[in-house]
Amino acid sequence: MLGGGISNILGLPFCSPFVNVRVGIEKDDYFELIEKLDYYMEQPPAEIPKLKYTTYNWNGWEGRIDFPKLWYDDIMIHGFHYNSQRDFFEQWEKRRKRYNSEKKVIFKILYDQEDIEKFQEIKFSKKIGFYHKKVDCNNIVSIYSDEISGRYSYQYSSYLFDLLRCGALFQYVDFFSLLSEV
């Protein structure tokens, strides 16, 4: 979702299928999807999960009514911002078909040491992680302040989105140079 926010602020077209969606139910779903991203983007998603969640009742899940969902194996793509399953699928397919495996860029919010390790294993040349503590990795931006432990406790993603909206995130990452090389 951070990538979609960056695209929006920069006035870029939403080419990624992942704009305005959330990936997964379990913590590692995102990394599993990224590991097979090219494979998944070659095919349309399913409307039902492969094995794990076939009988799960989604009504009331996260306080929501049933919402549009697409699946790659047992990795759910949440369509919270879409009015219907059909709208979500049509938008996904338009974007999926524009996917270019040669022009991948990942923006990922990292929450713990395990996320950092899995992020480092991703074999994409263009990736930027954001972490709330100091870390010595070239492709991870450490953004932290006293506000995180106060106003933004447990809401690091909200903190980053607020930095993006006010323009302060641009002092940490030169998105223009990063994206011009893609």
Side-chain angles (χ1 to χ4, degrees), residues 98-147:
R98 290 191 303 230
Y99 171 77
N100 183 339
S101 65
E102 301 299 315
K103 296 188 176 207
K104 295 183 271 199
V105 179
I106 290 182
F107 301 106
K108 174 76 172 104
I109 299 170
L110 307 169
Y111 295 100
D112 57 26
Q113 187 61 38
E114 182 183 6
D115 276 359
I116 291 171
E117 292 166 11
K118 289 182 179 188
F119 183 77
Q120 292 299 77
E121 292 173 7
I122 296 173
K123 295 180 179 22
F124 291 12
S125 61
K126 299 287 181 189
K127 61 182 179 180
I128 299 289
F130 298 90
Y131 192 57
H132 62 96
K133 294 179 182 175
K134 182 115 175 89
V135 62
D136 189 26
C137 299
N138 289 339
N139 55 2
I140 298 177
V141 178
S142 298
I143 302 176
Y144 49 91
S145 74
D146 292 338
E147 275 191 296

Side-chain angles (χ1 to χ4, degrees), residues 2 7 9 23 31 37 40 52 62 76 84 138:
L2 183 60
S7 294
I9 294 289
V23 174
F31 293 106
L37 186 60
Y40 286 138
K52 288 166 70 172
E62 292 189 341
M76 185 190 341
S84 71
N138 289 339

